[in-house]
Amino acid sequence: MRFLSFLAIMLSIGMGVLMITFSAPEGGQLQNEAPEKPIRLPEPRYDSATSVEKALLQRRSIRNYAAKSLTLAEVSQLLWAAQGITESGEGLRTAPSAGALYPLEVYVAAGNVQDLAAGLYHYRPGAHELQKIAAGDVRQALSSAALGQDCVEEGAAVFVISAVYERTARKYGDRSSRYVPMEAGHAAQNIYLQATALNLGTVVAGAFRDDAVKRAMGLPVEEEPLYLMPVGHPEK
Ligand SMILES: Cc1cc2nc3c(=O)[nH]c(=O)nc-3n(C[C@H](O)[C@H](O)[C@H](O)COP(=O)(O)O)c2cc1C
């Protein structure tokens, strides 16, 4: 009987220790590592009062932004313009892709976006949603990686176009070194024209240290950043 009580006490002490061990990381690293639920983006619009001709005429690189937030609907529209799905059967997108192999990835470094906490988000075209990758504002880190360009820090959000060259190289070999940057250009021009139609401003920044951008974003080794595009309301 005494042995059973001893066993019960030892068991409850053991359970206590286990409970402490498992609950210790509360609010700490383990919780941060668990992926958050993806953020479903508002449905993009497929029409507007701005013609393609007007957007082409008005497109300009804008580097000075007002301290005004973007809406989640604007972010959604810009992401759709960059890489959104336009033909669900084969998953074809707004921008052309050699062999429809889609080597590009698009990220949003949000700093001043309504209903989107400051952080780094990955765009998933299939479900038109954002997956949070990291909390916290990385615009300043991206700006210093971009040789201190102020515009990168001052946009309400920075859209980053990166690429996994291997997806294209598997079929096209060395030709991928031409095809992939061409595709980034298509996606970037779509963002330019969409921003113009939304009365927003953007600029492509290609001048940056690749390794510093990769570090700031925690990009996988096989992924190369190609363009940083700060977006904001043009300063009047
Ligand atoms: C490949 C490429 C890289 C660029 N890199 C930068 C850059 O790092 N920073 C910047 O402010 N503008 C950059 N630009 C934007 C050009 O400066 C801009 O397109 C040019 O001045 C013409 O102006 P517009 O775009 O208003 O027609 C880049 C443009 C291209 C095509």
Side-chain angles (χ1 to χ4, degrees):
M1 194 61 192
R2 224 189 267 165
F3 174 73
L4 280 179
S5 329
F6 172 76
L7 204 64
I9 290 165
M10 288 312 282
L11 265 175
S12 51
I13 290 172
M15 286 299 285
V17 169
L18 274 178
M19 295 271 288
I20 290 165
T21 314
F22 284 124
S23 59
E26 197 177 328
Q29 239 189 326
L30 276 187
Q31 283 206 343
N32 286 344
E33 280 172 8
E36 288 185 20
K37 245 180 87 196
I39 299 157
R40 185 123 188 99
L41 290 163
E43 189 70 14
R45 289 175 51 177
Y46 304 117
D47 203 359
S48 84
T50 310
S51 65
V52 176
E53 292 81 359
K54 199 167 170 193
L56 286 166
L57 191 65
Q58 292 180 344
R59 184 208 64 81
R60 202 80 289 144
S61 289
I62 306 291
R63 299 177 181 82
N64 295 306
Y65 313 105
K68 193 175 164 192
S69 58
L70 295 179
T71 64
L72 196 56
E74 287 166 337
V75 167
S76 160
Q77 197 67 39
L78 291 159
L79 288 166
W80 176 79
Q83 282 291 286
I85 304 288
T86 47
E87 195 279 306
S88 54
E90 293 181 50
L92 302 177
R93 303 186 185 182
T94 49
S97 174
L101 293 169
Y102 301 110
L104 303 183
E105 298 294 335
V106 183
Y107 297 83
V108 181
N112 189 8
V113 179
Q114 290 167 35
D115 304 318
L116 197 62
L120 184 65
Y121 299 84
H122 177 230
Y123 178 51
R124 295 171 163 180
H128 192 57
E129 64 188 19
L130 281 176
Q131 177 65 58
K132 190 174 191 173
I133 294 178
D137 194 345
V138 296
R139 290 175 301 168
Q140 214 247 308
L142 290 176
S143 167
S144 57
L147 321 175
Q149 297 189 64
D150 291 337
C151 59
V152 175
E153 194 175 343
E154 288 165 9
V158 183
F159 288 66
V160 182
I161 301 176
S162 72
V164 180
Y165 277 69
E166 183 51 28
R167 287 184 203 151
T168 303
R170 242 175 267 141
K171 181 168 183 188
Y172 296 113
D174 292 348
R175 206 74 187 153
S176 59
S177 65
R178 293 166 68 106
Y179 290 169
V180 172
M182 286 172 182
E183 295 191 25
H186 300 311
Q189 180 74 358
N190 285 1
I191 294 180
Y192 258 118
L193 295 177
Q194 183 66 79
T196 306
L198 292 170
N199 295 315
L200 297 170
T202 188
V203 58
V204 283
F208 53 78
R209 284 181 284 115
D210 298 358
D211 58 335
V213 169
K214 288 179 88 158
R215 221 175 309 118
M217 297 179 60
L219 285 185
V221 277
E222 70 276 13
E223 212 172 308
E224 295 300 330
L226 291 171
Y227 261 151
L228 307 181
M229 296 186 73
V231 179
H233 291 267
E235 203 170 45
K236 295 271 184 278

